[in-house]
Amino acid sequence: MRKDLVINSQQGFNVKNGDTGKELLDVLAGFRASSWNRKKVITFMASDKILAVDIDGVVLNHAAGMHAWAINKGIQVGCEPDACDCYTMSPMFPGRSYDEIMQLMVDFSQDDGFASMPIMSGFESALARLRDLHPEMKLIAITAPGNSERTKALRERNLRNLRFDEIHILDMHASKRSHLDRLPKSAIFFDDLASHAITAEEVGLTSVLFRQPHNLGDDHTLVARDWEAGFEIVRTKFAGSPHPGAE
Ligand SMILES: [Mg+2]
């Protein structure tokens, strides 16, 4: 039931593809029939506490997952995951062209290993503490790993235990602008690709560049070197305090 809801906190209690009338009452009736607490539901629906995140390199350790997958497939690797300092992963796959590495990424996105990538260090702890502080917080994923049905299913399986409210799955390396632009301006968004972080800033969101070896050369208004720093940035934003600044 909860997944059917998309709430626009700027416009009030809206139901996806519906309006604020009978459909909302029907939804609430459904929650009353369930174990949900109605007051909590209403608080959830009205929340302006929105944590939106990219997934690869922010929530899931894509480099570690792909490294393990490649070794398992007998594909030669050129470096450890945390030494892969190029977004196109050329150090991990030396001697291969850009197109060949992109094909490896596509192959990985179709493999069972894609659903078992390790969660980034510190993310679960940060998320648990934020949910303790703000039970009404919404968690939204905007991720561009490829949008085949197989890839979507694997991605959702990998994220299942993190209890996302929405998961937006886009074509590989697609622009996130239209999805970011639809978020309430109160949202805070994390990405490890500087161009996506810039887009989020351009559409009016609080935007954080999540530090990774491949973006060490990029600067941004807000930078989180890890999820402990990320937690502090989100905590202070939700508290209405000034941002702690960059790393
Ligand atoms: Mg990413």
Side-chain angles (χ1 to χ4, degrees):
M1 196 68 178
R2 183 174 172 176
K3 281 194 168 182
D4 293 336
L5 292 171
V6 173
I7 307 305
N8 185 333
S9 65
Q10 289 189 315
Q11 296 177 13
F13 298 162
N14 287 3
V15 179
K16 185 180 182 182
N17 298 323
D19 58 30
T20 57
K22 183 176 180 303
E23 286 186 55
L24 175 59
L25 294 176
D26 288 345
V27 170
L28 289 175
F31 279 117
R32 280 198 297 273
S34 74
S35 59
W36 281 73
N37 175 290
R38 183 168 180 263
K39 184 177 177 184
K40 181 178 176 183
V41 170
I42 291 174
T43 303
F44 167 80
M45 294 172 75
S47 173
D48 62 354
K49 307 284 194 308
I50 297 170
L51 173 58
V53 286
D54 171 42
I55 296 300
D56 293 310
V58 175
V59 171
L60 299 179
N61 193 332
H62 180 270
M66 191 153 175
H67 186 270
W69 169 82
I71 289 175
N72 188 251
K73 295 287 182 187
I75 297 169
Q76 183 188 359
V77 295
C79 69
E80 293 297 308
D82 58 6
C84 191
D85 59 359
C86 178
Y87 190 73
T88 58
M89 305 192 87
S90 52
M92 192 180 289
F93 301 107
R96 292 178 186 264
S97 69
Y98 173 85
D99 288 344
E100 288 171 337
I101 296 173
M102 290 303 109
Q103 186 57 52
L104 288 179
M105 287 191 185
V106 171
D107 294 346
F108 175 49
S109 75
Q110 306 279 328
D111 187 273
D112 276 341
F114 196 71
S116 56
M117 274 187 265
I119 296 172
M120 293 292 291
S121 175
F123 178 74
E124 287 176 291
S125 168
L127 181 61
R129 283 178 284 158
L130 288 168
R131 281 178 163 152
D132 279 346
L133 290 169
H134 303 286
E136 75 278 22
M137 183 183 80
K138 280 188 72 180
L139 180 64
I140 296 175
I142 300 180
T143 173
N147 58 6
S148 72
E149 291 306 313
R150 170 77 174 153
T151 298
K152 285 181 184 176
L154 293 168
R155 172 112 303 175
E156 288 173 355
R157 194 198 309 170
N158 208 161
L159 297 178
R160 188 172 297 151
N161 292 338
L162 297 174
R163 296 186 291 115
F164 276 82
D165 296 289
E166 297 174 26
I167 301 176
H168 301 225
I169 301 179
L170 318 182
D171 201 4
M172 185 174 279
H173 301 160
S175 168
K176 299 183 177 180
R177 181 175 294 274
S178 63
H179 292 258
L180 293 167
D181 202 20
R182 288 202 294 270
L183 292 177
K185 302 311 177 198
S186 60
I188 183 167
F189 176 69
F190 285 71
D191 207 299
D192 65 320
L193 188 59
S195 61
H196 290 321
I198 291 168
T199 300
E201 206 160 58
E202 286 174 349
V203 303
L205 307 182
T206 298
S207 162
V208 183
L209 179 67
F210 193 79
R211 190 58 87 201
Q212 285 286 343
H214 62 76
N215 66 30
L216 284 169
D218 297 315
D219 202 2
H220 196 64
T221 309
L222 289 170
V223 179
R225 64 182 176 279
D226 55 26
W227 269 111
E228 194 55 41
F231 167 79
E232 278 303 316
I233 292 173
V234 180
R235 186 186 67 77
T236 53
K237 174 177 170 58
F238 286 176
S241 304
H243 294 306
E247 51 188 345

